[in-house]
Amino acid sequence: MEVIRKEKDFKRPFKNPVLTIGNFDGVHLGHQRIFRLVKEKANEIGGESIIYTFEPHPVEVLAPKLKPLLVTPLEEKLRLFEEQGINVAILANFTAKFASQTPEEFVKNILYDQIKIRQLFVGHDYTFGRGRRGNIALLKELGRKLGFNVEVVEAVRVGGMVVSSTLIREFIQKGEMREAAKLLGRYYLLSSQVIYGHGRGSRKLGFPTANLKPAGLLFPKPGIYAVWAIHEGKKYAGVANLGWNPTFHDQKFSIEVHILNFDREIYGENLRVEFVERLRDEVTFPGPEELVAQIKKDVAKAKNILRLN
Ligand code: RBF
Ligand code: MG
């Protein structure tokens, strides 16, 4: 997949570009349906499949106080686009100036003159531009005028739920990882760097943990989880704890993963953690022995859960 990050990276004309446009936070089943249609159409007309998206996420520029925690940070999003088999990702640098374009200017100058789109697919609820005036009716009208086709992709429903990034975010924050996974089409995943923890895990308790750098991530509800840990492309069963280690009065929030059958030092390296199921709340134990007894039960339970997957 080719990634175009800057205006100057537009080095060549696209061949029969078939495009979709949006934020695609989560790259969930609804987004995946759009991408599939984009690819099918591109194949049909011998064209290129293109995702046009924004960086940073428009909310960060338009409403920075909301500090949106993204389901999929940019690098993760790009990896998933690629996995979906998309040819090109265009990351439009989203600034206040960019946002001030009228929908008509955006469509004419960028989609039509610069990209020369043949076909556009958008989600059923897509709006863009100042005052959200850019909507499906307007896109269709501009398409008729300029000469490109616009198709609207219906929402995807799973078990009576309409798939949306907002709903997924809510499930994650409630620790309902099975529900989140149903809408994502995969497990919710945190990808981060392993940092130094207290070093207590391995020395005293016999359950060494890899601690993840928490920067800017959307955390599942604090508690204990059955997880898959992925290191250097290899997948291991594990148990994760998101919390404050109250038994030791740590107070500092940490995300730690005890990886089963794994005894390597991986400080500074990347670890990806897929959240399969929440096991329990974090609790304050009278002492380390009680905690260790409970962690043994957590491990047994996680093994059972992960075997079934
Ligand atoms: N610490 C607690 O204070 N209460 C808990 O309920 C608790 N549960 C844990 C469950 C698992 C599976 C793991 C790996 C750790 C847990 N911890 C808990 C964190 C433990 O205190 C921490 O790993 C060590 O103190 C090392 O930092
Ligand atoms: Mg640790």
Side-chain angles (χ1 to χ4, degrees):
M1 186 180 72
E2 182 182 344
V3 180
I4 295 175
R5 292 168 192 265
K6 295 211 179 67
E7 198 89 341
K8 67 172 175 48
D9 292 345
F10 277 98
K11 290 197 180 100
R12 61 179 180 87
F14 298 115
K15 193 177 162 218
N16 291 339
V18 180
L19 191 116
T20 185
I21 173 171
N23 294 313
F24 306 117
D25 184 33
V27 193
H28 57 53
L29 289 178
H31 302 143
Q32 291 171 32
R33 171 182 283 178
I34 300 176
F35 301 160
R36 200 178 59 239
L37 292 167
V38 165
K39 278 188 305 180
E40 280 171 11
K41 187 70 188 181
N43 281 340
E44 188 189 311
I45 65 172
E48 294 180 78
S49 55
I50 307 179
I51 294 176
Y52 189 98
T53 191
F54 308 98
E55 174 57 22
H57 192 291
V59 181
E60 281 180 44
V61 176
L62 301 174
K65 283 196 186 129
L66 291 181
K67 278 216 179 26
L69 290 167
L70 301 180
V71 178
T72 43
L74 181 64
E75 290 316 308
E76 192 57 33
K77 208 148 97 171
L78 291 177
R79 198 186 60 80
L80 290 162
F81 288 170
E82 170 135 50
E83 218 175 84
Q84 293 286 311
I86 291 292
N87 298 131
V88 182
I90 300 174
L91 308 180
N93 182 219
F94 196 87
T95 58
K97 180 159 175 274
F98 186 95
S100 74
Q101 296 176 87
T102 67
E104 289 85 353
E105 283 166 346
F106 172 74
V107 171
K108 171 75 169 66
N109 297 341
I110 297 181
L111 300 190
Y112 191 71
D113 288 344
Q114 188 169 22
I115 301 174
K116 301 188 165 55
I117 52 168
R118 287 283 308 275
Q119 169 91 34
L120 179 64
F121 286 91
V122 283
H124 61 103
D125 56 354
Y126 191 63
T127 60
F128 67 99
R130 231 173 9 194
R132 301 214 158 269
R133 213 166 51 69
N135 55 25
I136 286 164
L138 183 70
L139 282 171
K140 286 194 162 168
E141 186 195 318
L142 292 170
R144 264 193 308 275
K145 234 175 15 205
L146 297 168
F148 62 87
N149 201 27
V150 177
E151 268 188 53
V152 178
V153 182
E154 286 315 311
V156 170
R157 282 166 197 277
V158 177
M161 299 178 285
V162 173
V163 177
S164 78
S165 306
T166 306
L167 188 55
I168 291 168
R169 223 172 273 131
E170 285 171 9
F171 280 135
I172 293 167
Q173 286 171 328
K174 287 192 283 187
E176 296 179 27
M177 309 316 286
R178 296 272 184 200
E179 296 300 299
K182 273 187 208 162
L183 307 189
L184 284 168
R186 63 174 182 282
Y187 294 121
Y188 180 60
L189 172 148
L190 291 181
S191 172
S192 197
Q193 200 189 1
V194 176
I195 54 172
Y196 286 95
H198 296 278
R200 186 171 50 218
S202 48
R203 272 185 280 129
K204 283 209 198 127
L205 304 176
F207 288 95
T209 60
N211 294 50
L212 287 189
K213 187 174 177 175
L217 308 174
L218 171 70
F219 306 126
K221 179 181 178 175
I224 319 304
Y225 289 84
V227 302
W228 289 110
I230 299 143
H231 178 254
E232 290 181 344
K234 257 192 87 178
K235 204 165 176 172
Y236 305 86
V239 272
N241 178 40
L242 280 71
W244 294 266
N245 304 359
T247 305
F248 301 94
H249 317 289
D250 279 346
Q251 290 176 358
K252 224 181 106 200
F253 183 78
S254 63
I255 307 162
E256 34 178 356
V257 188
H258 171 67
I259 309 173
L260 304 182
N261 305 314
F262 188 87
D263 59 2
R264 291 177 52 190
E265 293 276 358
I266 53 170
Y267 292 117
E269 296 177 30
N270 176 263
L271 189 69
R272 299 154 58 79
V273 181
E274 293 180 347
F275 289 82
V276 177
E277 197 176 305
R278 191 169 186 277
L279 303 177
R280 62 176 176 91
D281 286 333
E282 189 185 44
V283 294
T284 309
F285 288 99
E289 297 83 50
E290 291 87 348
L291 171 61
V292 165
Q294 178 59 51
I295 293 180
K296 283 181 181 158
K297 288 184 200 159
D298 296 334
V299 167
K301 205 162 169 190
K303 275 185 179 166
N304 249 319
I305 287 167
L306 298 171
R307 227 196 323 267
L308 299 176
N309 284 273

